[in-house]
Amino acid sequence: MTTSATEGPVTKGGQERRIIVMIGAPGAGKGTQAERLSGRLGLPHVSTGKLFRSAVRNENEIGAQVRAYVEAGSLVPDEVAVKVVDDRLHEVDAGAGAILDGFPRTRNQAVALDEMLARADDRVCAALYVEVATEDLVARLTGRRVCTIDDQHVYHIVTVPPRQDGICDIEGAPLRQREDDQPETLRKRLERQLAPMYEVIDHYADSGVLFPVRGDQPADKVTEALLQALAASERIG
Ligand code: AP5
């Protein structure tokens, strides 16, 4: 167990640690919903996409390992994604659990997560699958705008507009398009990332913790459906 000042125990001190996984195609609304659930449940929102983008921006070792993959719309190697999440789950704020957004993305990552959690006698309590038809994803991603200060503040020019055009409601900073939302990268992400996602869905269906939720409804309704799914997962678990 870790004892440094910046890291905390993986164990939960008497209370069940809540590890919630968000699954969905690129643009399905995982990030939007993970941010809302994080506020409602008091658990950190852990987005591997965001961790990789900051690593690339900071030009650190992880950034050097993942840059080419993220820019090409491909998945980064499993071992890098697993290491990043393992480290993140040892941070103090994840002691009571976390909402994992965009991880696991392959069956190997799902197995590695199970093993990582089992070492601390934990498990995934719910895998929430935000389901959106593939043909709707492109419109969501081309209209997406993110905050220049924190790209977890996400908007859409039509469906989820900011109060003031082009400005983040939370930071007051300008919005921008994500680099990987350019049409060519977008096409590759959808082409390369859907098949492994279905394997992850099968993995959690087999474990009995998969909760599909319709993502093609207004964001507030999706949040309510996810909260109901979590309540159901607690009754079952
Ligand atoms: P990542 O950042 O995880 O990107 P992604 O999975 O492609 O997901 P997105 O962030 O694009 O979409 P989202 O589902 O969060 O949707 P959002 O809420 O923004 O990963 C980026 C890259 O990192 C990957 O391509 C890969 O290279 C790498 N990577 C990350 N994790 C990895 C891993 N584990 N292994 C390997 N590689 C990894 O919503 C989209 C838009 O829709 C927004 O504009 C939003 O405002 C709007 N919207 C949301 N909800 C609704 C609604 N209900 N109705 C209408 N519009 C809505």
Side-chain angles (χ1 to χ4, degrees), residues 192-206:
R192 293 172 182 174
Q193 299 188 17
L194 292 182
M197 179 189 80
Y198 290 116
E199 292 187 6
V200 173
I201 289 169
D202 288 347
H203 176 86
Y204 289 116
D206 291 346

Side-chain angles (χ1 to χ4, degrees), residues 24-28 72-74 132-139 141 180 183-198:
S74 301
V132 172
T134 309
E135 56 268 27
D136 295 337
L137 298 171
V138 173
L141 290 170
D180 58 352
E184 184 54 16
T185 318
L186 188 54
R187 189 182 57 75
K188 289 185 185 148
R189 283 162 66 204
L190 293 172
E191 227 171 63
R192 293 172 182 174
Q193 299 188 17
L194 292 182
M197 179 189 80
Y198 290 116

